Amino acid sequence: MSGPGRYLTRRLQVWRTDTVDDGAGGQETSRVLQGTVRVKVDQPSPTERLVAAQAGSKHSHDIWLLPTADVRRGDELRGTDALGQAQRFRVLSVVQPSRPVYSKAFAELIQEEGA
């Protein structure tokens, strides 16, 4: 395997919010599994953390993806880390360089109370 794909050694499920009418004038919202993507999850650099803090962001992880991966702002990425611990990430934004060889998602790790 060549290109950036060889570094994408983890798989995370993509969950997206779906809203449907409930038939009584309201709506029901749930997360729906969209598929699985190959990723590499990094910690942000100290500079990225400083910029995020100044902007009031909760950016905690950089997640690298193939440029064709269907991951969008607001999606939730779910999987396990190298120790088998369950992880959930909320995607804050997704960017690509001018030459689309990869996509980079800025995400926040969601931790349950007491975790």
Side-chain angles (χ1 to χ4, degrees):
M1 179 183 308
S2 63
R6 70 178 171 270
Y7 300 109
L8 307 178
T9 58
R10 281 181 69 180
R11 293 189 183 276
L12 295 177
Q13 295 177 330
V14 179
W15 291 79
R16 189 166 293 146
T17 300
D18 185 38
T19 304
V20 295
D21 292 333
D22 66 4
Q27 295 180 327
E28 291 182 14
T29 301
S30 62
R31 294 234 180 232
V32 177
L33 177 62
Q34 302 296 304
T36 302
V37 293
R38 292 176 35 219
V39 303
K40 179 178 185 289
V41 180
D42 284 343
Q43 298 287 335
S45 71
T47 301
E48 288 172 320
R49 277 183 258 172
L50 178 63
V51 170
Q54 290 172 343
S57 170
K58 296 180 181 179
H59 168 213
S60 63
H61 288 75
D62 297 333
I63 300 178
W64 301 87
L65 313 144
L66 290 174
T68 55
D70 183 16
V71 174
R72 306 173 191 172
R73 182 173 59 91
D75 284 352
E76 197 171 279
L77 303 176
R78 300 178 188 174
T80 56
D81 64 12
L83 299 175
Q85 303 285 329
Q87 289 186 315
R88 291 182 357 194
F89 300 94
R90 181 180 304 114
V91 177
L92 304 173
S93 66
V94 180
V95 297
Q96 286 184 339
S98 58
R99 189 170 150 243
V101 293
Y102 63 86
S103 291
K104 183 177 180 182
F106 299 98
E108 175 186 11
L109 179 63
I110 302 167
Q111 292 183 317
E112 301 299 326
E113 290 251 351

